[in-house]
Amino acid sequence: MMPGEVVSVRDLSKTYGGKASTIEKLLGRKPRGLKAVRGVSFSIDRGEVLGFVGESGCGKSTLARLIAGLMAPSEGEIVFNGKKPRLQMVFQDPFSSLNGRWRVRDIIAEPIRTHKLRKPSEIPGRVAELLEQVGLSAADGMKFPQGFSGGQRQRISIARALAGEPDFLILDEPTSALDVSVQAQILNLLRDLQSRLGLTSLFITHNLSVVRLMADRIGVMYLGELVELAPAHDIFTDPKHPYTRLLIDAAPDLDPIDRTLHPIPGELPDPSRPPSGCSFRTRCPYAQPLCAEQAPPLRKGNGREIRCHFDLQPQSLSVPE
């Protein structure tokens, strides 16, 4: 690992299935394993927020669960700066991620006890401190999760994650199940905590407005592959991959005044049978014969990575020298 890196992901892949069905065996067909994540590599520096964005089914949530250790990769490795990092995760659904039989104080105290971060006598005070840190009161610790709204439950989930004093925090669509007004409150809370605590985070979302607000760098995923990785500002002002540009053009909540929306053409391919060559070529307005013949390399330069045969310019495509 490079100095300052908290986590390094190398050629990570995850395939579901892969066993031939009875019909496939009779017909002599190869099994249709679904490659949810395909050869993804990246690193996250200390204090950085790396966002991942893409359409539903692109593999970003599977990627989060692989890094969290909730499932095993089929190939590749995840290397942390330290053998046993304290890693915490905030999940998408605040209603199913909290144990309804436990009081809030016990939910938040669990990671403190597990990691032995405080003396037993200090735990109640630490729980009260965490509740106040996320905008709740110490008295809320006596209640059960079902007595709270969705936004309040997500605040409890964030307090539980912070209780483990994580070296690395994974946020998997943490606001997508909440009302829009509540989303803004949770995002402001997360930004404030990031600023005050210097958290190192992986932020997963399908919402471009959210990732632009939260992330220092952004990775764009399509059909299990990382197709572009760049600083957040560069992604929105100068997208290089055709899919990134189409995502931005199709987003209804990015500076919507006097802007024509352009839906991404075509249908998402079957992930168990991705197209030959470039996985995006069947929907790409710039596709060339080369795109069907060869998988594009991941090209690196000027602080960004692009998986494309060509350089995307404002009005044309040019073949890189």
Coordinates of all heavy atoms in Angstrom, one line a residue, residues 76 103 148 285:
G76 N -9.5 -11.5 -6.6 CA -9.0 -10.2 -6.1 C -8.8 -10.1 -4.6 O -9.0 -11.1 -3.9
R103 N -33.1 -1.6 23.2 CA -33.2 -0.2 23.4 C -32.0 0.5 22.7 O -31.0 -0.1 22.4 CB -33.1 0.2 24.9 CG -34.2 -0.4 25.7 CD -34.1 0.1 27.2 NE -35.2 -0.5 28.0 CZ -36.4 -0.1 28.2 NH1 -36.8 1.1 27.6 NH2 -37.3 -0.7 28.9
F148 N -39.2 5.8 16.6 CA -38.5 6.9 15.9 C -38.9 6.9 14.4 O -39.3 5.9 13.8 CB -37.0 6.8 16.0 CG -36.4 6.9 17.3 CD1 -36.3 5.8 18.2 CD2 -36.1 8.1 17.8 CE1 -35.8 5.9 19.5 CE2 -35.5 8.3 19.1 CZ -35.4 7.2 19.9
P285 N -23.4 6.1 -28.0 CA -23.6 6.8 -29.2 C -22.3 6.9 -30.1 O -22.4 7.3 -31.2 CB -24.2 8.1 -28.8 CG -23.7 8.3 -27.4 CD -23.6 7.0 -26.8

